[in-house]
Amino acid sequence: MKTVKHKILVLSGKGGVGKSTFSAHLAHGLAEDENTQVALLDIDICGPSIPKIMGLEGEQVHQSGSGWSPVYVEDNLGVMSVGFLLSSPDDAVIWRGPKKNGMIKQFLRDVDWGEVDYLIVDTPPGTSDEHLSVVQYLTAARIDGAVLITTPQEVSLQDVRKEINFCYKVKLPIIGVVENMSGFICPNCKKESQIFPPTTGGAAAMCQDMNVPLLGRVPLDPHIGGHSCPQHMAGLPRAGQAASALWLSSCFPGIQEFCNLHQSKEENLMSS
Amino acid sequence: SMFITEPGNLAGVQHIILVLSGKGGVGKSTISAELALALRHTGKKVGILDVDLCGPSIPRMLRAQGKAVHQCDSGWVPVFVDQEQSISLMSVGFLLQKPDDALVWRGPKKNALIKQFVSDVAWGQLDYLVVDTPPGTSDEHMATVEALRPYRPLGALVVTTPQAVSVGDVRRELTFCRKTGLQVMGVVENMSGFTCPHCAECTSVFSRGGGEELARHAGVPFLGSVPLDPELARSLEEGRDFMREFPKSPAFPVLTSIAQKILDATPTQPS
């Protein structure tokens, strides 16, 4: 962890809101700059989605003298997931807390990330053992902050409020909230519909209530929802990408800014 | 103190169904709530046990949020969500002081609560008890299955969405069922396409076909595809009875059919 400059947790109180999808796109977005070293860690031990989203299913991890080697999607983008350790896609990881914590500890300690500018940690939903463990292990090594993902629905927002309070409880800085699945543009007639109506004001209202930044809103897009790999998304014609990819990447500068601000604060503290 | 399980509390429950999913956010709680409403529509008495300790969604879906739970001699009294008292509910959501409180517990404490929920709720006479679970294959699931085992559940409904990421997690969930001896009643594919209200074009927002393929591959019944339906989403937000109020909405026919399949698969003798 010493060689990792910035650590970002991607959290959500609620499952299925697009944490892993967002993490994968964020990783690719940051790695667009060849000089930025990016790492993506998938600690969703029961439902590791990252290998599939990144087009890395079936990849194996190798051990070397310096630890486990991540699987490199690009020269500057390495991925580690428990998904790589399952021999078959049907394998269930039915572990209780202590064993899961042991695995997470191993991931955080024994993966040979090398020099990394950004480590993005994709987490399982909720406020469970995995979260407590990762925050505990990483707090010692300084987490820059957490990005929280939600959909417009109250059923998601009510869980994300809990997640925000979890962050306060464990003193984890909040970078901001991303509202995913925010509206749908029909590919046929181009008219907008709300598939998940924001009956209680969506993320905007919640962010105002809880005084956390809204980083951006991402519409529903079959290209993303159907899980085209981010790298394939980049190859889609502009018209096909349209709103969604642009909305996604509009969230990224805010995240980078937060990390750099965090870093300069730390440096000021150290030099004072 | 030594806790002797009250055999009475689940003795009046005829059939227990678990609703599972490997993946979060696919609609387990939605399907649990709608299945309960649909079964009630056919005249059954239904209870819902919401074992999702970190994200208890059910109370809001049935306009029961903020209700207080009381105790009686045999344990906790479940909350009735309707005037006719045909749907009762127990959820950890009722126990939270403030709805925004996070329940940040480690395994043993969660398992103890689940055990209590399973054995200490005075359900009375029920035709069906629908058990809504959190996503995954973790402590809570094992605790739930173990606590329910003596009462021989009818089986599990596994919910997925069509895309490969979700189906992958569900394959693991099916493995979990096999390993824990839980019979799979069938797979439900949720969020199966969206019909644009403006031009009627149907878009597969979350890809297509995964659930049906998975069921075939795993040799379990495929119970149906529930389309994305903003009226359903809105009903859940507002705690409305979708099955009663929106019979013309796209999701209604398949939800009715899924409930019917459950009724058809229920043996006439209690399980």
PDB file of all heavy atoms in Angstrom, chain A residues 194-226:
ATOM      1  N   GLN A 194     -38.760   8.313 -17.294  1.00  0.00           N
ATOM      2  CA  GLN A 194     -38.179   8.006 -15.988  1.00  0.00           C
ATOM      3  C   GLN A 194     -38.576   6.586 -15.625  1.00  0.00           C
ATOM      4  O   GLN A 194     -39.711   6.344 -15.243  1.00  0.00           O
ATOM      5  CB  GLN A 194     -38.727   8.975 -14.926  1.00  0.00           C
ATOM      6  CG  GLN A 194     -38.205  10.382 -15.017  1.00  0.00           C
ATOM      7  CD  GLN A 194     -36.729  10.482 -14.660  1.00  0.00           C
ATOM      8  OE1 GLN A 194     -36.168   9.569 -14.059  1.00  0.00           O
ATOM      9  NE2 GLN A 194     -36.113  11.572 -15.063  1.00  0.00           N
ATOM     10  N   ILE A 195     -37.645   5.658 -15.758  1.00  0.00           N
ATOM     11  CA  ILE A 195     -37.974   4.286 -15.406  1.00  0.00           C
ATOM     12  C   ILE A 195     -38.024   4.132 -13.884  1.00  0.00           C
ATOM     13  O   ILE A 195     -38.852   3.411 -13.334  1.00  0.00           O
ATOM     14  CB  ILE A 195     -36.956   3.300 -16.030  1.00  0.00           C
ATOM     15  CG1 ILE A 195     -37.079   3.361 -17.542  1.00  0.00           C
ATOM     16  CG2 ILE A 195     -37.175   1.887 -15.512  1.00  0.00           C
ATOM     17  CD1 ILE A 195     -36.231   2.353 -18.286  1.00  0.00           C
ATOM     18  N   PHE A 196     -37.135   4.863 -13.215  1.00  0.00           N
ATOM     19  CA  PHE A 196     -37.094   4.844 -11.752  1.00  0.00           C
ATOM     20  C   PHE A 196     -37.429   6.253 -11.246  1.00  0.00           C
ATOM     21  O   PHE A 196     -36.538   7.050 -10.967  1.00  0.00           O
ATOM     22  CB  PHE A 196     -35.708   4.404 -11.262  1.00  0.00           C
ATOM     23  CG  PHE A 196     -35.314   3.030 -11.725  1.00  0.00           C
ATOM     24  CD1 PHE A 196     -34.247   2.853 -12.591  1.00  0.00           C
ATOM     25  CD2 PHE A 196     -36.025   1.900 -11.313  1.00  0.00           C
ATOM     26  CE1 PHE A 196     -33.883   1.582 -13.023  1.00  0.00           C
ATOM     27  CE2 PHE A 196     -35.671   0.629 -11.741  1.00  0.00           C
ATOM     28  CZ  PHE A 196     -34.600   0.474 -12.606  1.00  0.00           C
ATOM     29  N   PRO A 197     -38.728   6.534 -11.129  1.00  0.00           N
ATOM     30  CA  PRO A 197     -39.128   7.907 -10.801  1.00  0.00           C
ATOM     31  C   PRO A 197     -38.528   8.382  -9.476  1.00  0.00           C
ATOM     32  O   PRO A 197     -38.577   7.660  -8.476  1.00  0.00           O
ATOM     33  CB  PRO A 197     -40.657   7.832 -10.694  1.00  0.00           C
ATOM     34  CG  PRO A 197     -41.058   6.520 -11.264  1.00  0.00           C
ATOM     35  CD  PRO A 197     -39.876   5.619 -11.186  1.00  0.00           C
ATOM     36  N   PRO A 198     -37.945   9.586  -9.461  1.00  0.00           N
ATOM     37  CA  PRO A 198     -37.374  10.118  -8.217  1.00  0.00           C
ATOM     38  C   PRO A 198     -38.453  10.719  -7.331  1.00  0.00           C
ATOM     39  O   PRO A 198     -38.547  11.926  -7.184  1.00  0.00           O
ATOM     40  CB  PRO A 198     -36.390  11.188  -8.725  1.00  0.00           C
ATOM     41  CG  PRO A 198     -36.948  11.637 -10.034  1.00  0.00           C
ATOM     42  CD  PRO A 198     -37.718  10.486 -10.608  1.00  0.00           C
ATOM     43  N   THR A 199     -39.256   9.845  -6.735  1.00  0.00           N
ATOM     44  CA  THR A 199     -40.440  10.315  -6.006  1.00  0.00           C
ATOM     45  C   THR A 199     -40.096  11.198  -4.807  1.00  0.00           C
ATOM     46  O   THR A 199     -40.933  11.950  -4.332  1.00  0.00           O
ATOM     47  CB  THR A 199     -41.300   9.135  -5.501  1.00  0.00           C
ATOM     48  OG1 THR A 199     -40.485   8.323  -4.666  1.00  0.00           O
ATOM     49  CG2 THR A 199     -41.826   8.303  -6.652  1.00  0.00           C
ATOM     50  N   THR A 200     -38.870  11.081  -4.289  1.00  0.00           N
ATOM     51  CA  THR A 200     -38.536  11.922  -3.130  1.00  0.00           C
ATOM     52  C   THR A 200     -37.439  12.932  -3.480  1.00  0.00           C
ATOM     53  O   THR A 200     -36.704  13.380  -2.628  1.00  0.00           O
ATOM     54  CB  THR A 200     -38.084  11.063  -1.934  1.00  0.00           C
ATOM     55  OG1 THR A 200     -36.981  10.252  -2.358  1.00  0.00           O
ATOM     56  CG2 THR A 200     -39.209  10.190  -1.420  1.00  0.00           C
ATOM     57  N   GLY A 201     -37.317  13.248  -4.777  1.00  0.00           N
ATOM     58  CA  GLY A 201     -36.373  14.292  -5.183  1.00  0.00           C
ATOM     59  C   GLY A 201     -35.026  13.769  -5.648  1.00  0.00           C
ATOM     60  O   GLY A 201     -34.125  14.532  -5.972  1.00  0.00           O
ATOM     61  N   GLY A 202     -34.866  12.444  -5.670  1.00  0.00           N
ATOM     62  CA  GLY A 202     -33.631  11.876  -6.189  1.00  0.00           C
ATOM     63  C   GLY A 202     -32.409  12.233  -5.366  1.00  0.00           C
ATOM     64  O   GLY A 202     -32.504  12.736  -4.247  1.00  0.00           O
ATOM     65  N   ALA A 203     -31.248  11.994  -5.974  1.00  0.00           N
ATOM     66  CA  ALA A 203     -29.996  12.220  -5.253  1.00  0.00           C
ATOM     67  C   ALA A 203     -29.775  13.701  -4.967  1.00  0.00           C
ATOM     68  O   ALA A 203     -29.181  14.059  -3.951  1.00  0.00           O
ATOM     69  CB  ALA A 203     -28.830  11.666  -6.057  1.00  0.00           C
ATOM     70  N   ALA A 204     -30.257  14.561  -5.852  1.00  0.00           N
ATOM     71  CA  ALA A 204     -30.052  16.004  -5.646  1.00  0.00           C
ATOM     72  C   ALA A 204     -30.630  16.455  -4.318  1.00  0.00           C
ATOM     73  O   ALA A 204     -29.981  17.161  -3.544  1.00  0.00           O
ATOM     74  CB  ALA A 204     -30.667  16.784  -6.800  1.00  0.00           C
ATOM     75  N   ALA A 205     -31.867  16.032  -4.045  1.00  0.00           N
ATOM     76  CA  ALA A 205     -32.507  16.417  -2.776  1.00  0.00           C
ATOM     77  C   ALA A 205     -31.767  15.817  -1.593  1.00  0.00           C
ATOM     78  O   ALA A 205     -31.532  16.479  -0.578  1.00  0.00           O
ATOM     79  CB  ALA A 205     -33.968  15.981  -2.777  1.00  0.00           C
ATOM     80  N   MET A 206     -31.385  14.551  -1.710  1.00  0.00           N
ATOM     81  CA  MET A 206     -30.684  13.893  -0.608  1.00  0.00           C
ATOM     82  C   MET A 206     -29.346  14.560  -0.323  1.00  0.00           C
ATOM     83  O   MET A 206     -28.987  14.775   0.828  1.00  0.00           O
ATOM     84  CB  MET A 206     -30.453  12.406  -0.923  1.00  0.00           C
ATOM     85  CG  MET A 206     -29.757  11.708   0.234  1.00  0.00           C
ATOM     86  SD  MET A 206     -29.006  10.136  -0.210  1.00  0.00           S
ATOM     87  CE  MET A 206     -27.695  10.653  -1.276  1.00  0.00           C
ATOM     88  N   CYS A 207     -28.607  14.885  -1.399  1.00  0.00           N
ATOM     89  CA  CYS A 207     -27.294  15.507  -1.215  1.00  0.00           C
ATOM     90  C   CYS A 207     -27.425  16.852  -0.518  1.00  0.00           C
ATOM     91  O   CYS A 207     -26.608  17.210   0.324  1.00  0.00           O
ATOM     92  CB  CYS A 207     -26.598  15.667  -2.563  1.00  0.00           C
ATOM     93  SG  CYS A 207     -26.003  14.106  -3.218  1.00  0.00           S
ATOM     94  N   GLN A 208     -28.469  17.575  -0.877  1.00  0.00           N
ATOM     95  CA  GLN A 208     -28.684  18.878  -0.233  1.00  0.00           C
ATOM     96  C   GLN A 208     -28.992  18.687   1.249  1.00  0.00           C
ATOM     97  O   GLN A 208     -28.410  19.328   2.106  1.00  0.00           O
ATOM     98  CB  GLN A 208     -29.852  19.588  -0.919  1.00  0.00           C
ATOM     99  CG  GLN A 208     -29.932  21.056  -0.560  1.00  0.00           C
ATOM    100  CD  GLN A 208     -30.626  21.834  -1.669  1.00  0.00           C
ATOM    101  OE1 GLN A 208     -31.615  21.373  -2.240  1.00  0.00           O
ATOM    102  NE2 GLN A 208     -30.105  22.992  -2.005  1.00  0.00           N
ATOM    103  N   ASP A 209     -29.902  17.731   1.529  1.00  0.00           N
ATOM    104  CA  ASP A 209     -30.269  17.399   2.912  1.00  0.00           C
ATOM    105  C   ASP A 209     -29.072  17.035   3.757  1.00  0.00           C
ATOM    106  O   ASP A 209     -28.941  17.434   4.891  1.00  0.00           O
ATOM    107  CB  ASP A 209     -31.183  16.158   2.940  1.00  0.00           C
ATOM    108  CG  ASP A 209     -32.636  16.541   2.783  1.00  0.00           C
ATOM    109  OD1 ASP A 209     -32.942  17.737   2.945  1.00  0.00           O
ATOM    110  OD2 ASP A 209     -33.431  15.628   2.495  1.00  0.00           O
ATOM    111  N   MET A 210     -28.206  16.184   3.174  1.00  0.00           N
ATOM    112  CA  MET A 210     -27.120  15.611   3.965  1.00  0.00           C
ATOM    113  C   MET A 210     -25.807  16.355   3.762  1.00  0.00           C
ATOM    114  O   MET A 210     -24.782  15.963   4.308  1.00  0.00           O
ATOM    115  CB  MET A 210     -26.955  14.117   3.623  1.00  0.00           C
ATOM    116  CG  MET A 210     -28.266  13.382   3.844  1.00  0.00           C
ATOM    117  SD  MET A 210     -28.092  11.653   4.257  1.00  0.00           S
ATOM    118  CE  MET A 210     -27.269  11.688   5.817  1.00  0.00           C
ATOM    119  N   ASN A 211     -25.872  17.410   2.956  1.00  0.00           N
ATOM    120  CA  ASN A 211     -24.702  18.270   2.750  1.00  0.00           C
ATOM    121  C   ASN A 211     -23.495  17.508   2.219  1.00  0.00           C
ATOM    122  O   ASN A 211     -22.384  17.610   2.763  1.00  0.00           O
ATOM    123  CB  ASN A 211     -24.356  18.987   4.071  1.00  0.00           C
ATOM    124  CG  ASN A 211     -23.499  20.211   3.822  1.00  0.00           C
ATOM    125  OD1 ASN A 211     -23.540  20.799   2.737  1.00  0.00           O
ATOM    126  ND2 ASN A 211     -22.703  20.588   4.804  1.00  0.00           N
ATOM    127  N   VAL A 212     -23.738  16.710   1.169  1.00  0.00           N
ATOM    128  CA  VAL A 212     -22.630  16.055   0.478  1.00  0.00           C
ATOM    129  C   VAL A 212     -22.711  16.438  -0.997  1.00  0.00           C
ATOM    130  O   VAL A 212     -23.801  16.705  -1.505  1.00  0.00           O
ATOM    131  CB  VAL A 212     -22.651  14.508   0.633  1.00  0.00           C
ATOM    132  CG1 VAL A 212     -22.402  14.107   2.071  1.00  0.00           C
ATOM    133  CG2 VAL A 212     -23.944  13.919   0.118  1.00  0.00           C
ATOM    134  N   PRO A 213     -21.558  16.482  -1.703  1.00  0.00           N
ATOM    135  CA  PRO A 213     -21.598  16.907  -3.107  1.00  0.00           C
ATOM    136  C   PRO A 213     -22.261  15.874  -4.020  1.00  0.00           C
ATOM    137  O   PRO A 213     -22.113  14.671  -3.813  1.00  0.00           O
ATOM    138  CB  PRO A 213     -20.111  17.065  -3.483  1.00  0.00           C
ATOM    139  CG  PRO A 213     -19.344  16.969  -2.214  1.00  0.00           C
ATOM    140  CD  PRO A 213     -20.178  16.244  -1.228  1.00  0.00           C
ATOM    141  N   LEU A 214     -22.998  16.364  -5.028  1.00  0.00           N
ATOM    142  CA  LEU A 214     -23.511  15.496  -6.081  1.00  0.00           C
ATOM    143  C   LEU A 214     -22.511  15.575  -7.228  1.00  0.00           C
ATOM    144  O   LEU A 214     -22.338  16.615  -7.844  1.00  0.00           O
ATOM    145  CB  LEU A 214     -24.897  15.973  -6.537  1.00  0.00           C
ATOM    146  CG  LEU A 214     -25.562  15.176  -7.670  1.00  0.00           C
ATOM    147  CD1 LEU A 214     -25.846  13.743  -7.235  1.00  0.00           C
ATOM    148  CD2 LEU A 214     -26.867  15.833  -8.111  1.00  0.00           C
ATOM    149  N   LEU A 215     -21.808  14.476  -7.487  1.00  0.00           N
ATOM    150  CA  LEU A 215     -20.747  14.493  -8.500  1.00  0.00           C
ATOM    151  C   LEU A 215     -21.305  14.471  -9.911  1.00  0.00           C
ATOM    152  O   LEU A 215     -20.675  14.993 -10.830  1.00  0.00           O
ATOM    153  CB  LEU A 215     -19.815  13.285  -8.313  1.00  0.00           C
ATOM    154  CG  LEU A 215     -18.942  13.301  -7.069  1.00  0.00           C
ATOM    155  CD1 LEU A 215     -18.227  11.960  -6.923  1.00  0.00           C
ATOM    156  CD2 LEU A 215     -17.912  14.416  -7.140  1.00  0.00           C
ATOM    157  N   GLY A 216     -22.470  13.841 -10.080  1.00  0.00           N
ATOM    158  CA  GLY A 216     -23.028  13.782 -11.431  1.00  0.00           C
ATOM    159  C   GLY A 216     -24.185  12.820 -11.519  1.00  0.00           C
ATOM    160  O   GLY A 216     -24.495  12.100 -10.570  1.00  0.00           O
ATOM    161  N   ARG A 217     -24.852  12.845 -12.699  1.00  0.00           N
ATOM    162  CA  ARG A 217     -25.975  11.945 -12.944  1.00  0.00           C
ATOM    163  C   ARG A 217     -25.724  11.201 -14.241  1.00  0.00           C
ATOM    164  O   ARG A 217     -25.304  11.797 -15.236  1.00  0.00           O
ATOM    165  CB  ARG A 217     -27.273  12.752 -13.033  1.00  0.00           C
ATOM    166  CG  ARG A 217     -27.636  13.452 -11.725  1.00  0.00           C
ATOM    167  CD  ARG A 217     -28.771  14.429 -11.896  1.00  0.00           C
ATOM    168  NE  ARG A 217     -29.921  13.758 -12.481  1.00  0.00           N
ATOM    169  CZ  ARG A 217     -30.701  14.291 -13.413  1.00  0.00           C
ATOM    170  NH1 ARG A 217     -30.457  15.502 -13.876  1.00  0.00           N
ATOM    171  NH2 ARG A 217     -31.730  13.637 -13.886  1.00  0.00           N
ATOM    172  N   VAL A 218     -25.975   9.896 -14.246  1.00  0.00           N
ATOM    173  CA  VAL A 218     -25.709   9.057 -15.417  1.00  0.00           C
ATOM    174  C   VAL A 218     -27.009   8.406 -15.854  1.00  0.00           C
ATOM    175  O   VAL A 218     -27.667   7.747 -15.050  1.00  0.00           O
ATOM    176  CB  VAL A 218     -24.672   7.961 -15.077  1.00  0.00           C
ATOM    177  CG1 VAL A 218     -24.323   7.159 -16.318  1.00  0.00           C
ATOM    178  CG2 VAL A 218     -23.414   8.590 -14.477  1.00  0.00           C
ATOM    179  N   PRO A 219     -27.415   8.599 -17.128  1.00  0.00           N
ATOM    180  CA  PRO A 219     -28.678   8.000 -17.557  1.00  0.00           C
ATOM    181  C   PRO A 219     -28.542   6.503 -17.824  1.00  0.00           C
ATOM    182  O   PRO A 219     -27.445   5.974 -17.952  1.00  0.00           O
ATOM    183  CB  PRO A 219     -28.997   8.737 -18.862  1.00  0.00           C
ATOM    184  CG  PRO A 219     -27.683   9.190 -19.383  1.00  0.00           C
ATOM    185  CD  PRO A 219     -26.772   9.376 -18.208  1.00  0.00           C
ATOM    186  N   LEU A 220     -29.697   5.827 -17.903  1.00  0.00           N
ATOM    187  CA  LEU A 220     -29.750   4.416 -18.267  1.00  0.00           C
ATOM    188  C   LEU A 220     -29.383   4.283 -19.738  1.00  0.00           C
ATOM    189  O   LEU A 220     -29.884   5.022 -20.579  1.00  0.00           O
ATOM    190  CB  LEU A 220     -31.161   3.858 -18.086  1.00  0.00           C
ATOM    191  CG  LEU A 220     -31.465   3.234 -16.743  1.00  0.00           C
ATOM    192  CD1 LEU A 220     -32.958   3.112 -16.556  1.00  0.00           C
ATOM    193  CD2 LEU A 220     -30.801   1.874 -16.618  1.00  0.00           C
ATOM    194  N   ASP A 221     -28.532   3.343 -20.024  1.00  0.00           N
ATOM    195  CA  ASP A 221     -28.056   3.167 -21.390  1.00  0.00           C
ATOM    196  C   ASP A 221     -27.838   1.679 -21.612  1.00  0.00           C
ATOM    197  O   ASP A 221     -27.072   1.055 -20.895  1.00  0.00           O
ATOM    198  CB  ASP A 221     -26.738   3.936 -21.552  1.00  0.00           C
ATOM    199  CG  ASP A 221     -26.165   3.806 -22.946  1.00  0.00           C
ATOM    200  OD1 ASP A 221     -26.491   2.861 -23.670  1.00  0.00           O
ATOM    201  OD2 ASP A 221     -25.363   4.693 -23.316  1.00  0.00           O
ATOM    202  N   PRO A 222     -28.531   1.097 -22.604  1.00  0.00           N
ATOM    203  CA  PRO A 222     -28.373  -0.343 -22.820  1.00  0.00           C
ATOM    204  C   PRO A 222     -26.923  -0.753 -23.068  1.00  0.00           C
ATOM    205  O   PRO A 222     -26.550  -1.876 -22.765  1.00  0.00           O
ATOM    206  CB  PRO A 222     -29.216  -0.625 -24.068  1.00  0.00           C
ATOM    207  CG  PRO A 222     -30.139   0.529 -24.195  1.00  0.00           C
ATOM    208  CD  PRO A 222     -29.497   1.698 -23.528  1.00  0.00           C
ATOM    209  N   HIS A 223     -26.120   0.158 -23.592  1.00  0.00           N
ATOM    210  CA  HIS A 223     -24.709  -0.185 -23.811  1.00  0.00           C
ATOM    211  C   HIS A 223     -24.015  -0.424 -22.488  1.00  0.00           C
ATOM    212  O   HIS A 223     -23.185  -1.304 -22.340  1.00  0.00           O
ATOM    213  CB  HIS A 223     -23.995   0.935 -24.564  1.00  0.00           C
ATOM    214  CG  HIS A 223     -24.432   1.052 -25.977  1.00  0.00           C
ATOM    215  ND1 HIS A 223     -24.312   0.016 -26.874  1.00  0.00           N
ATOM    216  CD2 HIS A 223     -25.001   2.063 -26.645  1.00  0.00           C
ATOM    217  CE1 HIS A 223     -24.799   0.409 -28.046  1.00  0.00           C
ATOM    218  NE2 HIS A 223     -25.219   1.628 -27.934  1.00  0.00           N
ATOM    219  N   ILE A 224     -24.351   0.394 -21.481  1.00  0.00           N
ATOM    220  CA  ILE A 224     -23.757   0.221 -20.158  1.00  0.00           C
ATOM    221  C   ILE A 224     -24.488  -0.879 -19.411  1.00  0.00           C
ATOM    222  O   ILE A 224     -23.886  -1.776 -18.834  1.00  0.00           O
ATOM    223  CB  ILE A 224     -23.821   1.523 -19.336  1.00  0.00           C
ATOM    224  CG1 ILE A 224     -23.119   2.650 -20.087  1.00  0.00           C
ATOM    225  CG2 ILE A 224     -23.201   1.324 -17.974  1.00  0.00           C
ATOM    226  CD1 ILE A 224     -23.153   3.976 -19.344  1.00  0.00           C
ATOM    227  N   GLY A 225     -25.827  -0.838 -19.475  1.00  0.00           N
ATOM    228  CA  GLY A 225     -26.639  -1.793 -18.733  1.00  0.00           C
ATOM    229  C   GLY A 225     -26.466  -3.214 -19.242  1.00  0.00           C
ATOM    230  O   GLY A 225     -26.603  -4.177 -18.508  1.00  0.00           O
ATOM    231  N   GLY A 226     -26.173  -3.336 -20.531  1.00  0.00           N
ATOM    232  CA  GLY A 226     -25.943  -4.656 -21.083  1.00  0.00           C
ATOM    233  C   GLY A 226     -24.522  -5.112 -20.823  1.00  0.00           C
ATOM    234  O   GLY A 226     -24.118  -6.186 -21.221  1.00  0.00           O
TER     235      GLY A 226
END
